């Protein structure tokens, strides 16, 4: 068992369970009673450690209706809903130190934390930009110790900003304003180094920053020009990051040197699998061996898993059908060896290796063919 090949684990993963909301919910507004399609935009899991195993297994899911739903990842049942902001929520994330705190940022230029031990009628804390800014927050993140926060904004009067907070203060303590020229859609702190930050923007640029430096100019270490619009952004290892674009190009970027380590397009992945189409990229995660695994999909809603390294990619496996529409996002839990996928069908799916191959934690799958959809019909990331 200890020598189980990671490919064997992936090829023998199966659907462990799934949970759905009503695909059509009533839009309860005074002016409209029309039906609204619900689909999932983002999934995030608490990855710290606590003494409460139930709390450790929570998932936070951002819906297209811009509320946040909390799920028990074991039973796949909804345990709470966060509706506390009239403004549209653009990102959700658990803190690192407590499974009871969920953070959201929204278009009213605020970051809020929510304590899941309460009735969620009001946020536990609120962070706002100093001064009279009305630049909407599109992205945010926290350092590994939750001490500092940052947020990236929507373009406002030809300016975009990255704001910073000390967790002990509600008002921002700093701001960068010359990093990008368009919406800042992703900001990600390094998982271990609180001074290292990545930012990505609709201007096509991804920046690597050392925010311990005395000025914004000194803080900028390297810039990657994707010549497209970045979609997903994540740290992989200590000195590398994953970037995907809406043109479906995947990068591994060496943040120590500023060089591209890997650049792969859809044709590269299609060449590795002849039995299924590869139409779009979903996201990348580190498997149980701490090597990058990429999840892709196609217009029949199949999920396809590939290695992503300097070597040619290998097709690890195709996920059994479960989703009926395109997959939007995924997250992976190394401890439980579970891959969670969410999609435009408002389904949350959990994938695990079969009992016979549970050895090295691995990653999973998602997707299905319900009603087919061509690549040109893909809904872009529903950015408010």
């Amino acid at each position: 068992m200890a020598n189980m090949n990671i490919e064997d684990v992936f090829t023998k993963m199966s659907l462990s369970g799934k949970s759905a909301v009503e695909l059509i919910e009533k839009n309860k507004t005074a002016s409209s009673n029309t039906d609204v399609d619900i689909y999932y935009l983002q999934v995030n899991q608490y990855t710290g450690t606590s003494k409460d195993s139930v709390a450790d297994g929570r998932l936070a899911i951002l819906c297209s209706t811009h509320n946040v739903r909390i799920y028990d990842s074991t039973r796949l049942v909804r345990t709470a809903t966060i509706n506390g902001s009239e403004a549209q929520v653009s990102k959700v994330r658990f803190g690192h130190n407590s499974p009871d705190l969920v953070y959201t940022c929204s278009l009213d230029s605020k970051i809020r934390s929510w304590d899941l031990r309460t009735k969620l009628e009001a946020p536990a804390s609120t962070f706002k930009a100093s001064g009279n800014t009305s630049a909407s927050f599109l992205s945010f993140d926290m350092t590994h110790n939750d001490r500092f926060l940052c947020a990236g904004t929507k373009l406002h009067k030809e300016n975009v900003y990255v704001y910073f907070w000390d967790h002990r203060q509600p008002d921002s303590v700093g701001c960068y304003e010359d990093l990008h020229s368009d919406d800042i859609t992703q900001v990600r702190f390094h998982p271990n180094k609180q001074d290292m930050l990545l930012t990505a923007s609709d201007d096509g640029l991804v920046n690597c920053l050392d925010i311990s430096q005395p000025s914004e100019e000194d803080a900028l270490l390297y810039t990657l020009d994707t010549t497209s619009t970045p979609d997903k952004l994540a740290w992989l290892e200590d000195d590398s990051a994953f970037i995907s674009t809406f043109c479906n190009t995947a990068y591994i970027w060496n943040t120590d040197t500023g060089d591209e380590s890997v650049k792969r397009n859809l044709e590269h992945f299609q060449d590795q699998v002849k039995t299924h189409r590869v139409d779009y990229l979903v996201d990348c995660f580190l498997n149980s061996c701490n090597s990058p695994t990429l999840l892709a999909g196609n217009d029949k809603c199949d999920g396809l898993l590939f290695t992503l390294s300097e070597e040619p990619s290998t097709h690890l496996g195709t996920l059994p059908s479960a989703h009926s529409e395109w997959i939007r996002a995924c997250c992976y839990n190394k401890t439980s060896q579970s891959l969670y996928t969410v999609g435009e069908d408002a389904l949350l799916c959990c994938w695990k290796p079969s009992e016979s191959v549970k050895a090295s934690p691995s990653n999973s799958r998602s997707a299905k063919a319900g009603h087919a959809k061509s690549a040109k019909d893909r809904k872009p990331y529903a950015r408010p």
Side-chain angles (χ1 to χ4, degrees), residues 24-38:
I24 302 294
E25 291 190 357
K26 292 290 185 181
N27 181 12
K28 301 181 185 303
T29 64
S31 60
S32 173
N33 194 33
T34 58
D35 291 341
V36 178
D37 285 325
I38 306 297

Side-chain angles (χ1 to χ4, degrees), residues 244-265:
S244 66
T245 72
F246 280 108
C247 288
N248 291 302
T249 302
Y251 296 86
I252 293 182
W253 188 33
N254 187 318
T255 55
D256 269 356
T257 65
D259 298 324
E260 293 176 12
S261 299
V262 175
K263 182 179 180 181
R264 303 280 187 255
N265 56 24

Side-chain angles (χ1 to χ4, degrees), residues 42 60-62 66-70 81-85 87-95 101-114 116 120 123-127 137-142 149-151 165:
Q42 181 195 349
I61 298 176
L62 175 61
H66 301 285
N67 60 11
V68 174
R69 301 175 181 195
I70 308 301
T81 302
I82 299 173
N83 293 308
S85 172
Q88 293 181 351
V89 176
S90 46
K91 285 287 190 298
V92 61
R93 196 172 302 282
F94 277 99
L101 288 180
V102 176
Y103 294 76
T104 60
C105 75
S106 52
L107 298 191
D108 60 359
S109 309
K110 291 182 176 66
I111 296 175
R112 295 173 173 86
S113 69
W114 305 88
L116 298 179
L120 301 174
S125 55
T126 301
F127 304 90
F137 291 174
L138 293 178
S139 54
F140 81 104
D141 200 10
M142 295 91 65
L149 301 90
C150 72
W165 291 263

Side-chain angles (χ1 to χ4, degrees), residues 5-25:
N5 192 311
I6 195 74
E7 284 87 348
D8 294 333
V9 179
F10 279 123
T11 56
K12 296 181 180 179
M13 295 196 81
S14 59
L15 182 67
S16 173
K18 60 183 177 180
S19 179
V21 299
E22 308 80 71
L23 295 185
I24 302 294
E25 291 190 357

Side-chain angles (χ1 to χ4, degrees), residues 340-357:
Y340 299 93
T341 58
V342 296
E344 294 178 7
D345 54 3
L347 282 177
L348 163 65
C349 293
C350 174
W351 310 87
K352 292 184 179 182
S354 63
E355 292 298 325
S356 62
V357 295

